[in-house]
Amino acid sequence: MDQEQVVASNYLEEIFASNVFNDATMKARLPKNTYKALKKTIDEGLPLDPLVADVVANTMKDWALEKGATHYTHWFQPMTGITAEKHDSFISPTSDGRIIGEFSGKELIKGEPDASSFPSGGLRATFEARGYTAWDCTSPAFIKDYTLCIPTAFCSYTGEALDQKTPLLRSMEALSKEALRVLRAMGNTTATRVATTVGPEQEYFIIDKKLYDQRKDLILTGRTLFGAKPPKGQELEDHYFGNLKERIASFMREVDTELWKLGVLAKTKHNEVAPAQHELAPIFSTTNVATDHNHLTMETLKKVALRHGLVCLLHEKPFAGVNGSGKHNNWSMSANDGQNLLEPGKTPHENAQFLLFLTSVVRGVDEYADLLRASAANTGNDHRLGANEAPPAIISVFLGEQLADIFHQLENGGAKNSKSGGELRIGVTTLPTLPKDSTDRNRTSPFAFTGNKFEFRMVASSASIAGPNTALNTIVAEILSQVADRLEKSKDVTAEAQAIIKEVVKKNSRVIFNGNNYSDEWVKEAAKRGLPNIKSTVEAIPVWITDKVVKTFEKHAVLSKVELHSRYEIFLENYAKQINIEALTMLLMSKRQILPAVVKYTGDLAASLTAVKSASAKATTSAQEKLLIETSEVLASFSNNVDALEKAVDGIEKIGEDSLKQAQYYRDVVVTTMAKLRADGDKLETLVDEKAWPLPTYADILFNV
Ligand code: ADP
Ligand code: MG
């Protein structure tokens, strides 16, 4: 399509959400009463009348058939970290041998997938295979690959959550309830719901498929297990925001188009810091929809890349030595009467409310820092968090100069109004106008206030954002419930609000840090302040089953003790399995690719050495000899480390059934042995003839597209 056509047909408006059964489509196609009833369910969380469901299902089916769809699926998010779907066609036979399209309200609302093969952490033994999926009408249905996809929550027959969406929805509910209590106590009569909103910035790598296909590590584990440092990395800082290469631009254009059709608000795209690294950011939406859309974004990036002979890597650390990928999870709370609760206001009253919500988040982050850290932990993220890379494993909050100053003043008695010099009584005097776009003034902070939202920067690039947001929503709900308890009892709400804000400033200021989070001084300073520094996933996972977390999650009905324990088991098992796959892949590459290649190369060297020696008796330490000695030495060490890794992998047999002990063993023994093997492998890469090396190098892969 050329530019003129694009403008003439208003291409954007035409394709946007063309494959989504969204509000506009429902309004246009559903009978008025049905639409109203469904809207009530969506907006107010009321139960759905089965008769309404029948009408909606039928309308949805007609719409989908018109769009060429042949199947439908309940689309859900099991604990695999990705999405799952099982397609059923709409066909229903008639007596005269034809078919008609059929889709009932029952089929829309509830599915019964055989759930035995999804991770359940012991919640559902295989003999109790039944699980069910339940329609989540707060996220619109859409068509993908000729299939009507219905977003659903996935539970066991006894009602336990088997997925990521269920606790996320429960946490949104909890936060809404507690935030409303605070708003009511502060005199708000208009809001009836508070939603959490999220805009996740997705980082990813794009590489050539031909090179990818030659790397078993990329294929099997998503990251390179070998690879010497290339002569050029990211040190020239020439990739960030650099102009888009044509191949990348055309890939991105197609990604945008596909996402827009699915109603994903794809907004910003650019080159990232590392070579071959890029980012895609959407406009924010409710956390639930943002989570679904982020799944679709990850899927679309992968799918479209293949069409262009490219591969998209979502792993947190595909390449050593250059930046890894994360997801900046921009998060806020907004009431349905139109206010962003983290937006500084214009009136004194609005500002008191703003400070109350802001300090509640700060307090939650301080009191549950370990949980937030755990919510961002996964095997891949261990290479970023706590590994001298952005961001560090220590949770702290960046507030920006002005707010930090207000905090500081509140800490030392009353805050001064910076303009008049008089006492700043919260709720009486206005705050100085805060710059809305304090964009990335501190890029090192794991949890930064950016004007009207918080940016949680630890989140893993390949993981669902449901986990971190469930954690965040729940801890803020808990703090808000404590705030509401006090405000509801108090006679002077303004004074009480002020007291609460001051208390947070006194008690929780230790979590605030506006300096360089990557510095060694901060690590020391944080330890002095008593902030947790959880360096690995294995260390982080047990946080999910601490008494404090169980109590909070049960209080707000987000996850029960049993559900939390099942997740704990899943996370640990997952870690152990992933490291095991990485170790086995390393062994495969070592024994069948690297060893044979180097053996052959040293053989060639030896042969040429003999030839040289016979030609010239004087050449005692020829270049060949030097190279042969060095290569043979590294090769011997490499071979020993192959043996060591084999032994380490086998050693798991002796560890027993305890999943925490198993995960610890993988981290302490297997991962460390892998690092030694890699060091030798990477050294060999720098010694061996380029033509004899069996793997595409970092330089080949990172600078090829
Ligand atoms: P920056 O991070 O550079 O300040 P933006 O302000 O454009 O950039 O926002 C980055 C992301 O934050 C975008 O996805 C944007 O939609 C999202 N965002 C903006 N406002 C909110 C909000 N109130 N709640 C959640 N996300 C938001
Ligand atoms: Mg940002």
Side-chain angles (χ1 to χ4, degrees), residues 499-516:
I500 293 170
I501 293 165
K502 271 194 174 176
E503 252 176 57
V504 175
V505 169
K506 275 223 152 64
K507 266 179 63 188
N508 305 102
S509 276
R510 63 173 191 164
V511 80
I512 295 166
F513 182 64
N514 292 316
N516 178 8

Side-chain angles (χ1 to χ4, degrees), residues 316 371-378 381-382 384-385 456-460 463 467-468 537 544:
E316 288 71 22
L371 177 66
L372 270 186
R373 167 65 182 88
S375 78
N378 75 4
N381 233 1
D382 274 8
R384 298 173 66 229
L385 311 179
F456 184 24
R457 297 188 174 124
M458 272 184 178
V459 177
T537 292
W544 286 103

